[in-house]
Amino acid sequence: MIVTSLHLRNFRNYENCSVDLGPGINWITGNNAQGKTNLLESMVYLSLTRSHRINNDQQMIRKECEFARIGCDLVDDKNRKISLEAVIHGNGKSLMVNHQAVQKSSQFVGILNTVLFSPDDLGIFSDAPRERRKIMNQEIAKLSPKYLLAINHYQNLLRERNAHLKNMNPDPAYLDVLDEQMIEDEIPIIEKRRIFIQRINAHMEDIYQSIADDPVHVKAVYQGCINEEEKDLKQALQKKYQENRQRDLENRFTTTGIHRDDMVFELNDKNVIETASQGQKRMVMLAFRLADLEFIREVTGKKAVLLLDDVLSELDNSRQERLLNEIEGKCQCIITSTGMPKVMQGRHPYEIRITSGHAERAV
């Protein structure tokens, strides 16, 4: 998959901007606060219909404007041309594929697959579990509309169950019905999360050792509400709800379920928080993102677009070189930095210079 052009109107600090992109490495250069990260954010939005930075879409509309428009033209792996467009306005957002409106985000999400590394990723290790669940959900949902539907339906049932638990006298029979409905959603969610972690781990350690030159064992661990050894998920979940019913009634909220799952990262079988240096954390997250590229390729047969925001600023020259060797030729890649680094000499990337929301091809 190759994004050939990106079009922004009233988005962040971009008034009206079109950017042509090359099929290999695209280097977005410019001083700080010129709009480099905003450009990557627009591509994430076209992939997920949401920003990776904020929850309120309205904040992405340029000051004193009524709407923001984000669009791109891409060529998929079968050489088919596709156009995507998202318009953010006062009533929400409107989505279009090939100039035809779509009613559901599930019809839009995942047509363009992006994988983003940003400096904010390093906070994920110490963030609350919901932030790591969010990553799992986003990466799986991009490839599985059924997963997205199951997550959304489960969240609606969870809200209903928690509201009912706050009643003075919750009806046990109604809780039984909700439990069974939630379990039907949880089974495919757990299965998809287990597969995601397995496939990430099939690549993550090799990638880490390749780019970090650090011979340690690296893996992601899925900490689910059901033990990995449990094969009959329905029976195990039913038992969990039964065992926790009294605690739920006392606490007046649902204390077990996939909404409390976590994904943690380990170096040599110890949590990254306990043992890793800041440099190792950066390498772990980079390895995870690059392993996600492989996961997407294996599931869909398609190459995602890799977005690297200010990735080289904290890497020494040798790690910069190893990272570029790892990604070059594998997919379209868009990298931001304040200037063209020395490590790119002889590689001839497609360079675009950003100045105050204006893009210009560097010669």
Side-chain angles (χ1 to χ4, degrees), residues 127-161:
D127 280 344
R130 66 175 177 271
E131 298 302 323
R132 293 183 289 275
R133 282 195 305 273
K134 181 179 176 182
I135 290 178
M136 274 199 297
N137 288 340
Q138 285 181 348
E139 297 312 311
I140 300 171
K142 286 191 299 189
L143 311 185
S144 174
K146 290 183 178 179
Y147 181 90
L148 181 59
L149 290 172
I151 284 286
N152 290 338
H153 190 243
Y154 175 85
Q155 292 293 346
N156 290 334
L157 291 170
L158 179 63
R159 282 190 288 270
E160 177 62 25
R161 191 177 192 273

Side-chain angles (χ1 to χ4, degrees), residues 198-236:
Q198 288 168 3
R199 293 194 171 183
I200 288 293
N201 284 332
H203 303 283
M204 188 173 170
E205 183 172 299
D206 286 345
I207 293 172
Y208 175 90
Q209 293 180 356
S210 174
I211 62 177
D213 193 26
D214 183 15
V216 299
H217 297 299
V218 182
K219 64 182 177 182
V221 179
Y222 174 37
Q223 296 181 341
C225 59
I226 301 299
N227 292 332
E228 186 71 29
E229 296 75 23
E230 295 282 359
K231 303 305 178 185
D232 189 334
L233 292 178
K234 184 170 185 177
Q235 184 179 66

